[in-house]
Amino acid sequence: MTKPIPVIFIHGLWLHATSWTPWIEMFGDAGYAPSAPGWPGDPDTVAEARENPESIADHGIDDVVEHFAGIIRTLDAPPILVGHSFGGMIAQKLLGQDLARAAVAIDAAQIKGVLPLPLSALRATLPVFKNPANKHRAVSLTAEQFRFAFGNAISEAESDTLYERWTIPAPGKPLFEAAAANFNPHSPAKVDTDNQSRGPLLLMTGGKDHTVPETVVRATLKQYRHSDAVTDITAFPDRGHSLTIDAGWRDVADTTLTWLRQQSL
């Protein structure tokens, strides 16, 4: 029998890896070998992460990429990567390095070369940028800040429930690195978008996303214009940044599975 294809789920800032649990169950039932390893320093549970924010602090983009690259190197076959927010950026970097057979980047953080910087994105990340010292700290969101950044397209009650269930402190360093990307020729936010031999990529965007607005994702798509490798985009017009964890997550997961089957994966 053919071994199932590994799928690695990569979370973004402020969410714990266990937020992928429903996806892991769904992809396991679909015949894949899914896992959600978490970022370097991530404790095993949400409670532990909240109690030990220093374990999460000061990890930058390169640290996270190398962490997942190390995990990939232990596998028998290249995985499919599914990343949300900064996890979507990490997935694109690994795909550009030919370490994955395909990637799905959901509301992915902006990569080097992407110029739009909508006001809602600035407001969503203000809890980090308001203090330069946060570059080396782990920063938590309040329930109100989470509602603006993640839960604006769902009810306040659902947003508060998701906040209590899945949120953890997040390192400020990746945000500072991404913000300076277009001024740094060696930015860790740079992705090899010109790679002709990489596997297929699907970009997903939520039309009501405050943290990574649709204009950012469509500008990301343009960065791939010099590559003939498959690069697709799918929009969910009424969804916000919580689209991987809120009540509509299954629609996003179904779209992911359908696209993977279209790629014969």
Side-chain angles (χ1 to χ4, degrees), residues 103 122 145 152 160 172 265:
L122 289 172
Q145 289 165 342
N152 60 292
D160 288 347
L265 294 170

Side-chain angles (χ1 to χ4, degrees), residues 90-153:
I90 303 303
Q92 289 177 76
K93 282 185 67 73
L94 292 164
L95 183 69
Q97 295 171 7
D98 293 322
L99 290 173
R101 67 178 72 199
V104 178
I106 305 168
D107 286 345
Q110 67 187 71
I111 64 175
K112 180 177 172 60
V114 172
L115 299 179
L117 190 58
L119 288 176
S120 69
L122 289 172
R123 179 179 167 186
T125 53
L126 185 60
V128 172
F129 288 129
K130 67 181 180 181
N131 186 346
N134 285 338
K135 182 176 181 179
H136 303 291
R137 297 172 176 167
V139 180
S140 297
L141 297 180
T142 66
E144 182 180 4
Q145 289 165 342
F146 178 84
R147 175 143 171 76
F148 180 83
F150 283 77
N152 60 292

Side-chain angles (χ1 to χ4, degrees), residues 196-240:
Q196 300 283 351
S197 62
R198 65 162 172 83
L201 170 66
L202 174 62
L203 300 172
M204 289 190 181
T205 177
K208 293 185 176 180
D209 194 324
H210 282 167
T211 301
V212 185
E214 186 171 345
T215 53
V216 171
V217 179
R218 294 199 177 277
T220 300
L221 177 65
K222 291 180 182 178
Q223 294 298 307
Y224 287 94
R225 63 189 179 276
H226 299 301
S227 174
D228 293 328
V230 172
T231 311
D232 294 329
I233 188 168
T234 296
F236 294 88
D238 297 325
R239 307 299 296 280

Side-chain angles (χ1 to χ4, degrees), residues 16 20 73 84 87 111-112 127 139 154-155 180 199 204 210 220 228 231 235 249 255 261 264:
H16 192 266
W20 288 113
R73 293 186 189 107
H84 172 247
I111 64 175
K112 180 177 172 60
V139 180
I154 56 178
S155 71
M204 289 190 181
H210 282 167
T220 300
D228 293 328
T231 311
W249 71 269
T255 299
R261 292 183 184 116
S264 301

